[in-house]
PDB file of all heavy atoms in Angstrom:
ATOM      1  N   THR K 419     120.252 114.505 106.646  1.00 96.00           N
ATOM      2  CA  THR K 419     121.345 115.465 106.768  1.00 96.00           C
ATOM      3  C   THR K 419     121.387 116.420 105.567  1.00 96.00           C
ATOM      4  O   THR K 419     120.784 116.155 104.527  1.00 96.00           O
ATOM      5  CB  THR K 419     122.681 114.707 106.826  1.00 96.00           C
ATOM      6  OG1 THR K 419     122.791 113.927 105.624  1.00 96.00           O
ATOM      7  CG2 THR K 419     122.745 113.788 108.029  1.00 96.00           C
ATOM      8  N   VAL K 421     123.818 116.714 103.585  1.00 97.00           N
ATOM      9  CA  VAL K 421     124.401 115.952 102.463  1.00 97.00           C
ATOM     10  C   VAL K 421     123.329 115.119 101.770  1.00 97.00           C
ATOM     11  O   VAL K 421     123.268 115.061 100.528  1.00 97.00           O
ATOM     12  CB  VAL K 421     125.557 115.045 102.962  1.00 97.00           C
ATOM     13  CG1 VAL K 421     125.983 114.049 101.899  1.00 97.00           C
ATOM     14  CG2 VAL K 421     126.749 115.902 103.376  1.00 97.00           C
ATOM     15  N   ALA K 422     122.453 114.500 102.570  1.00 98.00           N
ATOM     16  CA  ALA K 422     121.352 113.722 101.984  1.00 98.00           C
ATOM     17  C   ALA K 422     120.485 114.644 101.126  1.00 98.00           C
ATOM     18  O   ALA K 422     120.115 114.308  99.993  1.00 98.00           O
ATOM     19  CB  ALA K 422     120.517 113.080 103.090  1.00 98.00           C
ATOM     20  N   LEU K 425     122.326 115.608  97.869  1.00 98.00           N
ATOM     21  CA  LEU K 425     122.438 114.503  96.914  1.00 98.00           C
ATOM     22  C   LEU K 425     121.072 114.161  96.305  1.00 98.00           C
ATOM     23  O   LEU K 425     120.958 113.927  95.100  1.00 98.00           O
ATOM     24  CB  LEU K 425     123.058 113.274  97.590  1.00 98.00           C
ATOM     25  CG  LEU K 425     124.554 113.419  97.920  1.00 98.00           C
ATOM     26  CD1 LEU K 425     124.997 112.320  98.885  1.00 98.00           C
ATOM     27  CD2 LEU K 425     125.393 113.378  96.635  1.00 98.00           C
ATOM     28  N   LEU K 436     120.700 106.057  98.699  1.00 98.00           N
ATOM     29  CA  LEU K 436     121.384 106.629  99.857  1.00 98.00           C
ATOM     30  C   LEU K 436     121.186 105.748 101.075  1.00 98.00           C
ATOM     31  O   LEU K 436     120.047 105.400 101.419  1.00 98.00           O
ATOM     32  CB  LEU K 436     120.825 108.034 100.152  1.00 98.00           C
ATOM     33  CG  LEU K 436     120.996 109.058  99.019  1.00 98.00           C
ATOM     34  CD1 LEU K 436     120.272 110.365  99.387  1.00 98.00           C
ATOM     35  CD2 LEU K 436     122.476 109.323  98.747  1.00 98.00           C
ATOM     36  N   VAL K 437     122.279 105.378 101.729  1.00 98.00           N
ATOM     37  CA  VAL K 437     122.206 104.597 102.970  1.00 98.00           C
ATOM     38  C   VAL K 437     122.299 105.560 104.147  1.00 98.00           C
ATOM     39  O   VAL K 437     123.270 106.310 104.284  1.00 98.00           O
ATOM     40  CB  VAL K 437     123.328 103.536 103.036  1.00 98.00           C
ATOM     41  CG1 VAL K 437     123.327 102.825 104.391  1.00 98.00           C
ATOM     42  CG2 VAL K 437     123.179 102.528 101.898  1.00 98.00           C
ATOM     43  N   LEU K 438     121.248 105.546 104.972  1.00 98.00           N
ATOM     44  CA  LEU K 438     121.086 106.490 106.091  1.00 98.00           C
ATOM     45  C   LEU K 438     120.700 105.740 107.363  1.00 98.00           C
ATOM     46  O   LEU K 438     120.252 104.598 107.286  1.00 98.00           O
ATOM     47  CB  LEU K 438     119.926 107.445 105.758  1.00 98.00           C
ATOM     48  CG  LEU K 438     120.160 108.446 104.644  1.00 98.00           C
ATOM     49  CD1 LEU K 438     118.847 108.821 103.992  1.00 98.00           C
ATOM     50  CD2 LEU K 438     120.827 109.676 105.238  1.00 98.00           C
ATOM     51  N   LEU K 520     125.298 104.468  97.962  1.00 98.00           N
ATOM     52  CA  LEU K 520     126.209 105.388  98.636  1.00 98.00           C
ATOM     53  C   LEU K 520     125.892 105.450 100.125  1.00 98.00           C
ATOM     54  O   LEU K 520     124.780 105.811 100.524  1.00 98.00           O
ATOM     55  CB  LEU K 520     126.062 106.788  98.016  1.00 98.00           C
ATOM     56  CG  LEU K 520     127.054 107.843  98.503  1.00 98.00           C
ATOM     57  CD1 LEU K 520     128.459 107.553  97.966  1.00 98.00           C
ATOM     58  CD2 LEU K 520     126.617 109.240  98.059  1.00 98.00           C
ATOM     59  N   ASP K 521     126.869 105.098 100.938  1.00 98.00           N
ATOM     60  CA  ASP K 521     126.709 105.151 102.388  1.00 98.00           C
ATOM     61  C   ASP K 521     127.051 106.566 102.853  1.00 98.00           C
ATOM     62  O   ASP K 521     128.191 107.014 102.694  1.00 98.00           O
ATOM     63  CB  ASP K 521     127.663 104.122 103.024  1.00 98.00           C
ATOM     64  CG  ASP K 521     127.547 104.078 104.541  1.00 98.00           C
ATOM     65  OD1 ASP K 521     126.947 104.996 105.128  1.00 98.00           O
ATOM     66  OD2 ASP K 521     128.073 103.117 105.130  1.00 98.00           O
ATOM     67  N   ILE K 522     126.056 107.263 103.404  1.00 98.00           N
ATOM     68  CA  ILE K 522     126.336 108.627 103.877  1.00 98.00           C
ATOM     69  C   ILE K 522     126.161 108.722 105.392  1.00 98.00           C
ATOM     70  O   ILE K 522     125.826 109.779 105.926  1.00 98.00           O
ATOM     71  CB  ILE K 522     125.485 109.694 103.142  1.00 98.00           C
ATOM     72  CG1 ILE K 522     123.995 109.349 103.177  1.00 98.00           C
ATOM     73  CG2 ILE K 522     125.952 109.860 101.709  1.00 98.00           C
ATOM     74  CD1 ILE K 522     123.117 110.485 102.666  1.00 98.00           C
ATOM     75  N   THR K 523     126.425 107.619 106.073  1.00 97.00           N
ATOM     76  CA  THR K 523     126.311 107.650 107.540  1.00 97.00           C
ATOM     77  C   THR K 523     127.606 108.120 108.198  1.00 97.00           C
ATOM     78  O   THR K 523     127.607 108.446 109.387  1.00 97.00           O
ATOM     79  CB  THR K 523     125.951 106.259 108.113  1.00 97.00           C
ATOM     80  OG1 THR K 523     126.968 105.340 107.712  1.00 97.00           O
ATOM     81  CG2 THR K 523     124.614 105.775 107.617  1.00 97.00           C
ATOM     82  N   GLY K 524     128.729 108.131 107.463  1.00 96.00           N
ATOM     83  CA  GLY K 524     130.005 108.529 108.063  1.00 96.00           C
ATOM     84  C   GLY K 524     130.411 109.938 107.656  1.00 96.00           C
ATOM     85  O   GLY K 524     129.630 110.670 107.040  1.00 96.00           O
ATOM     86  N   PRO K 527     131.188 110.281 102.336  1.00 98.00           N
ATOM     87  CA  PRO K 527     130.335 109.298 101.652  1.00 98.00           C
ATOM     88  C   PRO K 527     131.182 108.199 101.010  1.00 98.00           C
ATOM     89  O   PRO K 527     132.261 108.477 100.481  1.00 98.00           O
ATOM     90  CB  PRO K 527     129.643 110.124 100.557  1.00 98.00           C
ATOM     91  CG  PRO K 527     129.815 111.549 100.940  1.00 98.00           C
ATOM     92  CD  PRO K 527     131.059 111.637 101.766  1.00 98.00           C
TER      93      PRO K 527
END
Side-chain angles (χ1 to χ4, degrees):
T419 59
V421 168
L425 289 166
L436 299 174
V437 174
L438 290 153
L520 186 71
D521 181 346
I522 52 171
T523 58

